[in-house]
Amino acid sequence: MAPARERRLFVASNRGPVAFEEVDGELVPRRGSGGLVTGLTSALQETGGRWVAAALTEGDRARAAEGAFTAEAEGAAYDLRYLAIEPERFENHYNGFANRVLWFCHHYLWDLWRTPSFGPETERWWAAYRAVNAEFADALAAEAAAAGGAPAVLVQDYHLCLLPALLRERARRVRVAAFWHIPFAGPTHLHALPDAIREALLDGLLGADLIGFQARRWADNFLACCADLPETDVDRAAGAVRRDGRTTLIRVYPIQIDAEALAREAGGERVAALGADLEASTEGRSLILRADRMELSKNVLRGFAAYDLLLERHPQWRGRVRFLAQLYPSREAVPEYRTYARECLAAAESVNARYAHGDWQPVDLALRDDYEEVLACYRRYDVLLVNPVIDGLNLVAKEGPAVNERDGVLVLSRGAGAADELGEHALTVNPFDIAETAEALHRALSMPRAERAARAAALRASVTATPPADWVRRQLDDLERVASAPD
Ligand code: F6P
């Protein structure tokens, strides 16, 4: 058996690392957004590997016709293959099953007195999800056959739950590691899914040799869900599930940031110019920042409610603090996201209507995707509010402290996987408790200089301790151990 380093490596994910857009008749690559892409891009620069992803833009579709190709974007090189999936099928897979069923289930976003309600629409979405997973399996099996030997495939996230098992059926020699980037729901919640779907999803994932999670609690939930499957042995202490004569290892690998690349980007000219504008418009006030996708699970509304309560209960902050919400549009095809975005805008306006006076506006909400602007804000914040209801990890909680230059305080939800690593240096909050969050903001704003500096230094040390490539390396090493273990 070839050691891990010599195996050909493939990555499979719904969203690829770059998206191609037509500019002046040319297809120009732009780095994809979101935590998965950010985390994997840096790791793979070292290990190499071909990335197989769905074509999301018209530009991607045009490139899909070429088969595998290489591209460079923002200083990084990629070996890519995009799959041009029939648009209606893709829509039902991505916005239907992945984003409206699985995302809602694993983030506990259903309001159980009304949703979910599974019927013909879910059947259509589920059929498309299965078909897209099969398309990925066909493509990867062909890649594996062409590569020869026993390549390793790293399957990413909830869009491709069925892929590990489908791939194993088609290419027996591949070694498969699946990584789950989001929370994994506990058994009670998972049982809301139709039984056949729940079992197929777990069976699909258990086709992998190894399944990685961002935090221990998600791995524990997964093990508890597997214990409900018939004829399945779950060894919680060893982190192993045995089913159909095969063993799958369950491990925890929190994703890391690329602190060096981030520092380079944050030191760029445009970031500096944006920083100067920010400084001027903030006029020496304390800055509370949040930077998120416009996403239901990020808890934007309770964030504004907590800030409102801070201003009500601690009026000394009126006129002396500014709350900047950098929110980039996301999943606008999903009705719940459109409604949520409107509600967030209204909530920001209502805080402003209540407290603004003179030239002071308490909240600024920027609804756009401009990462350099976010970097400028990271450098300048005094308090970073990361209060998701629930989150697999949350990269903002790592990126902010890596870049910040003012010993900013992190107010962090205990619902984020990152709280396991960073909680002791942050002020942690229950994301549902607006009063606790308001008090944490007050404490952060009032914190003595020495305590701020000590906490910020500890956060910085923690988020920069591990190089991003370790995340992939550790998975490949564990995959190798499973591969050589007698079955
Ligand atoms: O892990 C969750 C994730 O896939 C992240 O990579 C990303 O931040 C987010 O969901 C957005 O995903 P998308 O925009 O591809 O739906």
Side-chain angles (χ1 to χ4, degrees):
M1 186 83 58
R5 303 285 183 272
E6 291 164 28
R7 287 181 197 276
R8 184 82 166 86
L9 181 64
F10 295 96
V11 172
S13 69
N14 187 68
R15 184 177 291 279
V18 291
F20 289 88
E21 274 154 32
E22 200 180 314
V23 180
D24 299 332
E26 253 186 68
L27 290 176
V28 178
R30 182 167 184 250
R31 194 173 72 182
S33 56
L36 184 157
V37 167
T38 312
L40 260 98
T41 299
S42 327
L44 288 180
Q45 292 306 306
E46 216 167 286
T47 53
R50 176 164 297 163
W51 199 321
V52 178
L56 299 185
T57 63
E58 280 312 309
D60 295 351
R61 289 186 165 275
R63 302 262 3 209
E66 295 171 39
F69 61 94
T70 55
E72 268 189 43
E74 296 166 36
Y78 302 94
D79 176 1
L80 300 170
R81 175 165 172 198
Y82 282 162
L83 306 181
I85 294 156
E86 191 273 317
E88 193 183 334
R89 173 182 281 184
F90 185 76
E91 170 66 20
N92 285 327
H93 149 80
Y94 173 65
N95 279 320
F97 197 76
N99 286 345
R100 297 191 74 187
V101 178
L102 290 181
W103 185 272
F104 274 62
C105 175
H106 289 290
H107 288 85
Y108 298 83
L109 292 173
W110 288 321
D111 53 356
L112 293 182
W113 71 97
R114 267 189 312 228
T115 62
S117 180
F118 300 120
E121 186 176 55
T122 326
E123 286 165 4
R124 217 172 42 249
W125 293 347
W126 173 235
Y129 184 84
R130 289 196 341 251
V132 169
N133 273 255
E135 284 194 51
F136 268 83
D138 290 340
L140 282 150
E143 292 281 352
V153 182
L154 306 181
V155 175
Q156 305 303 306
D157 232 353
Y158 61 99
H159 313 88
L160 299 174
C161 282
L162 308 177
L163 177 56
L166 293 173
L167 190 51
R168 187 162 301 286
E169 282 166 22
R170 291 160 169 77
R172 299 208 72 77
R173 298 191 64 206
V174 293
R175 312 304 310 186
V176 183
F179 191 82
W180 192 262
H181 289 256
I182 64 174
F184 202 94
T188 310
H189 216 64
L190 207 74
H191 270 273
L193 294 172
D195 280 358
I197 291 183
R198 176 178 52 82
E199 286 193 19
L201 292 168
L202 292 171
D203 258 336
L205 282 169
L206 289 171
D209 301 289
L210 170 71
I211 306 177
F213 292 89
Q214 299 274 26
R216 167 60 40 208
R217 45 189 134 150
W218 316 136
D220 288 345
N221 279 354
F222 179 75
L223 289 165
C225 290
C226 288
D228 288 346
L229 289 172
E231 291 161 42
T232 306
D233 289 330
V234 173
D235 182 340
R236 291 183 198 223
V241 181
R242 198 165 167 77
R243 181 161 160 86
D244 284 342
R246 292 189 49 259
T247 301
T248 302
L249 285 192
I250 312 304
R251 293 288 180 267
V252 176
Y253 314 95
I255 209 162
Q256 306 299 337
I257 55 164
D258 186 343
E260 278 174 29
L262 201 58
R264 262 197 314 277
E265 265 188 274
E269 244 174 66
R270 181 161 175 266
V271 177
L274 289 164
D277 291 349
L278 177 65
E279 199 56 66
S281 61
T282 303
E283 296 178 318
R285 295 184 174 100
S286 294
L287 187 70
I288 301 175
L289 172 71
R290 77 169 308 134
D292 290 295
R293 256 180 337 106
M294 182 58 100
E295 159 60 51
L296 313 180
S297 61
K298 301 294 182 188
N299 210 15
V300 179
L301 289 174
R302 288 193 193 85
F304 287 139
Y307 180 59
D308 189 305
L309 198 58
L310 167 84
L311 297 175
E312 182 184 309
R313 293 194 172 162
H314 300 282
Q316 70 270 32
W317 293 115
R318 295 184 196 167
R320 292 177 51 214
V321 69
R322 177 184 188 194
F323 186 167
L324 192 48
Q326 290 280 348
L327 298 167
Y328 71 89
S330 178
R331 303 185 187 167
E332 289 165 300
V334 178
E336 287 87 345
Y337 282 67
R338 290 198 299 271
T339 307
Y340 190 65
R342 277 198 301 276
E343 287 173 0
C344 290
L345 291 169
E349 272 170 28
S350 118
V351 178
N352 284 337
R354 192 158 171 215
Y355 295 105
H357 63 76
D359 67 349
W360 176 59
Q361 179 170 306
V363 181
D364 282 295
L365 191 157
L367 190 55
R368 52 182 171 259
D369 182 5
D370 184 342
Y371 191 57
E372 288 182 321
E373 199 175 336
V374 171
L375 287 173
C377 298
Y378 279 165
R379 288 175 64 171
R380 170 61 177 80
Y381 71 76
D382 298 288
V383 179
L384 179 63
L385 176 62
V386 179
N387 68 324
V389 167
I390 191 167
D391 214 336
L393 180 87
N394 196 292
L395 274 179
V396 171
K398 292 191 170 186
E399 288 179 348
V403 170
N404 183 255
E405 292 168 356
R406 289 172 65 94
D407 290 340
V409 181
L410 174 63
V411 174
L412 179 60
S413 160
R414 291 189 283 276
D420 294 2
E421 290 171 90
L422 307 178
E424 62 177 308
H425 313 304
L427 301 183
T428 66
V429 292
N430 167 351
F432 305 102
D433 190 339
I434 290 164
E436 188 196 13
T437 308
E439 286 315 304
L441 291 175
H442 172 61
R443 193 176 151 207
L445 290 166
S446 331
M447 191 176 281
R449 197 178 278 263
E451 186 183 348
R452 288 173 68 100
R455 284 177 182 271
L459 281 172
R460 224 170 8 252
S462 170
V463 302
T464 56
T466 317
D470 272 22
W471 182 76
V472 169
R473 263 199 234 108
R474 285 180 57 212
Q475 291 176 62
L476 292 178
D477 287 348
D478 285 343
L479 199 53
E480 205 55 30
R481 274 183 213 120
V482 200
S484 49
D487 222 27

